[in-house]
């Protein structure tokens, strides 16, 4: 799925205890830019305990093109965010961090995920006098915190217990930095330590290398962490906590150089290619992975099968952001402009085409057409994840369920015909779990969310509101 049919909605980064906190956040967000390209924001806690925030629409390098912007963010504690929005929450107003400031305190909030009871909470808060300034869900937590009594940590805990869904929050408050992960650990969040002292938190560990931080551990499901006087204070939400990390993080969203729950993403994808070979091999001449996220699975498949792994598709790296526009026409045009087939490699060959996942199927159809036009003799598609058949309620813009290929085509044969391949096979849910090495651990779904593949979600979904 090289041209994004699926959109992870965000990436978060936070620094505590470094005088260059905003600059570090800039570099951390640079490593997380693949998680969202629509808007970006960085906020710092100033010496006089105020929150200074700059955000804008566009890529990090566009929003912070003027170096004076970053230089103006002075403070040793910072949070940052990159974002892909849902249709209803576009624009700079809804970009994160959101700052809720009153006479007695300021709260800066950024998060990755989606709240499944957001509508219900918003109606309740509005009835009780809250006035919302944005359309997104981010502001909700600020309003909930404002209505609680106690220390900031106590108020945060009480508020998070009212929220349902998936979240990895990074928060700035007059009293410092706070991070929190939902009780199912659906969205990733890791903690690192800077060699110069201080701590960093990020959606993915790939953001640690760039700032010279050493990975310490993942933030646990239901855990809240704050740093006070250089000491890590950990506390847990008083509710049932379990592990249900989004399996699509392994399949597609995360960078191959990131580690999730101690497992390297490239290695997991490579194993998914090996499992795919074991489950659904077919005679062919070469293996081709769809660049970039399917390359690791293609390496695994080729190694297991003994077939040459060829670079039959080339990605044009100089296409602008036009292709994140969520219209069907642009997506289709994007495929044509973004990929080319290498005729001398594919002509006359029986190809095993490896893709990490299929959502709508339109991009797959175009890629197959590219290969056929370049003279491929046969194209056998092997997909390194199960059929993406059900919606995601946890922060992934998985489009209208009726558009999902596996939802509106009843049989494998119907899907094969639509994509126009000689054969089509998907990795089984068991094969994916095996590739992640979550097998045999942590109960149902082995510590993974597999909702979009199995229709079994780790939280209760209020179906009438969440779709
Ligand atoms: S439903 Fe799918 S995309 Fe959404 S969190 Fe679960 S595994 Fe990830």
């Amino acid at each position: 799925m090289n041209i994004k049919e699926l959109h992870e909605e965000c990436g978060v980064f936070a620094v505590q205890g470094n005088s260059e906190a905003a600059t570090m956040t800039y570099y951390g967000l640079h490593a997380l830019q693949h998680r969202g390209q629509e808007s970006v924001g960085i906020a710092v806690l100033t010496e006089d305990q105020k929150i200074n925030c700059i955000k804008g629409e566009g890529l990090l390098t566009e929003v912070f093109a003027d170096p004076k912007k970053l230089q103006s963010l002075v403070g040793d504690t910072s949070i940052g965010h990159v974002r892909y929005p849902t249709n209803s929450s576009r624009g700079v107003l809804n970009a994160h961090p959101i700052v809720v400031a009153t006479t007695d305190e300021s709260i800066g909030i950024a998060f990755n995920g989606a709240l499944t009871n957001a509508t219900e909470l918003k109606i309740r808060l509005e009835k009780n006098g809250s006035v919302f300034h944005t359309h997104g869900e981010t502001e909700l937590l600020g309003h909930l915190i404002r209505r609680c009594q106690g220390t900031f940590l106590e108020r945060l805990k009480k508020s998070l217990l009212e929220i349902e869904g998936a979240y990895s929050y990074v928060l700035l408050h007059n009293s410092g930095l706070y991070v929190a992960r939902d009780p199912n650990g659906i969205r990733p969040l890791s903690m690192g330590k800077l060699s110069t002292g201080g701590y960093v938190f990020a959606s993915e560990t790939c953001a640690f290398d760039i700032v010279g931080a050493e990975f310490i551990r993942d933030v646990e499901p239901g855990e809240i962490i704050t740093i006070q006087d250089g000491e890590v204070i950990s506390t847990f939400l008083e509710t049932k906590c379990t592990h249900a990390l989004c399996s699509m993080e392994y399949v597609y969203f995360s960078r191959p150089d990131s580690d999730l729950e101690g497992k390297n993403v490239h290695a997991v994808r490579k194993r998914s290619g090996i499992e795919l070979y074991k489950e659904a091999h077919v005679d062919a001449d070469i293996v081709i992975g769809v660049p970039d996220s399917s390359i690791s699975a293609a390496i695994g498949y080729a190694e297991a099968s003994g077939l040459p792994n060829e670079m039959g598709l080339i990605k044009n790296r100089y296409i602008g952001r036009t292709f994140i526009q969520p219209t069907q026409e642009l997506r289709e045009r994007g495929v044509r402009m973004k990929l080319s087939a290498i005729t001398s490699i594919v002509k006359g060959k029986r190809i095993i085409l490896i893709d990490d996942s299929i959502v709508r199927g339109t991009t797959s159809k175009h890629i197959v057409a590219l290969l056929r036009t370049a003279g491929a003799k046969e194209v056998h598609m092997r997909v390194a994840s199960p059929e993406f058949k059900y919606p995601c309620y946890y922060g992934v813009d998985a489009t209208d369920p009726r558009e999902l290929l596996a939802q509106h085509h009843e049989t494998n044969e119907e899907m094969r015909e639509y994509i126009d391949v000689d054969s089509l096979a998907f990795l089984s849910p068991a094969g994916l779990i095996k590739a992640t090495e979550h097998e045999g651990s942590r109960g149902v779904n082995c510590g993974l969310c597999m909702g979009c593949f199995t229709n079994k979600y780790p939280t209760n979904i209020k179906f009438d509101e969440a779709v």
Side-chain angles (χ1 to χ4, degrees), residues 6 166 186-187 244-249 253 388 390-396 398 448-453 456-458:
L6 273 185
I186 296 170
R187 303 260 71 91
L245 177 68
C246 167
S247 52
M248 281 301 288
E249 291 282 351
F253 297 128
F388 197 110
Y390 306 99
C392 173
Y393 303 102
Y394 305 128
V396 172
L448 292 169
C449 175
M450 302 273 288
C452 50
F453 305 128
K456 289 185 188 137
Y457 297 89

Side-chain angles (χ1 to χ4, degrees), residues 297-371:
I299 292 170
Y301 193 104
E303 259 183 42
S305 64
L307 292 172
N309 180 24
E310 286 285 4
M311 197 163 65
L313 291 164
I314 292 287
K315 189 171 172 183
N316 179 357
R317 299 190 185 279
Y318 302 100
I319 300 288
R321 292 192 306 120
T322 321
F323 304 120
I324 65 165
Q325 296 299 328
T327 70
Q328 192 61 25
E329 194 206 335
L330 280 174
R331 274 194 295 272
E332 289 179 12
R333 198 189 308 160
V335 179
R336 287 195 292 276
M337 288 179 68
K338 208 166 181 179
L339 281 180
S340 322
I342 303 180
T343 304
S344 59
I345 289 179
V346 306
K347 194 169 180 187
K349 297 283 189 346
R350 296 171 303 160
I351 294 165
I352 295 178
L353 178 66
I354 307 285
D355 208 345
D356 52 70
S357 50
I358 297 181
V359 182
R360 293 181 191 84
T362 48
T363 56
S364 308
K365 195 176 169 69
H366 282 288
I367 291 165
V368 172
L370 278 176
L371 291 171

Side-chain angles (χ1 to χ4, degrees), residues 14 19-20 51 55 61 96 102 108 128-130 140 144 151 155 168 238 243 266 280 311 319 335 348 395 409 435 443:
S19 56
E20 298 290 323
I51 293 173
K55 54 189 180 179
T61 47
H96 305 198
T102 58
N128 288 314
S130 293
L140 263 173
L144 288 169
T151 64
R155 291 152 67 206
S168 283
E238 280 142 26
H243 284 255
H266 161 73
M311 197 163 65
I319 300 288
V335 179
H409 290 82

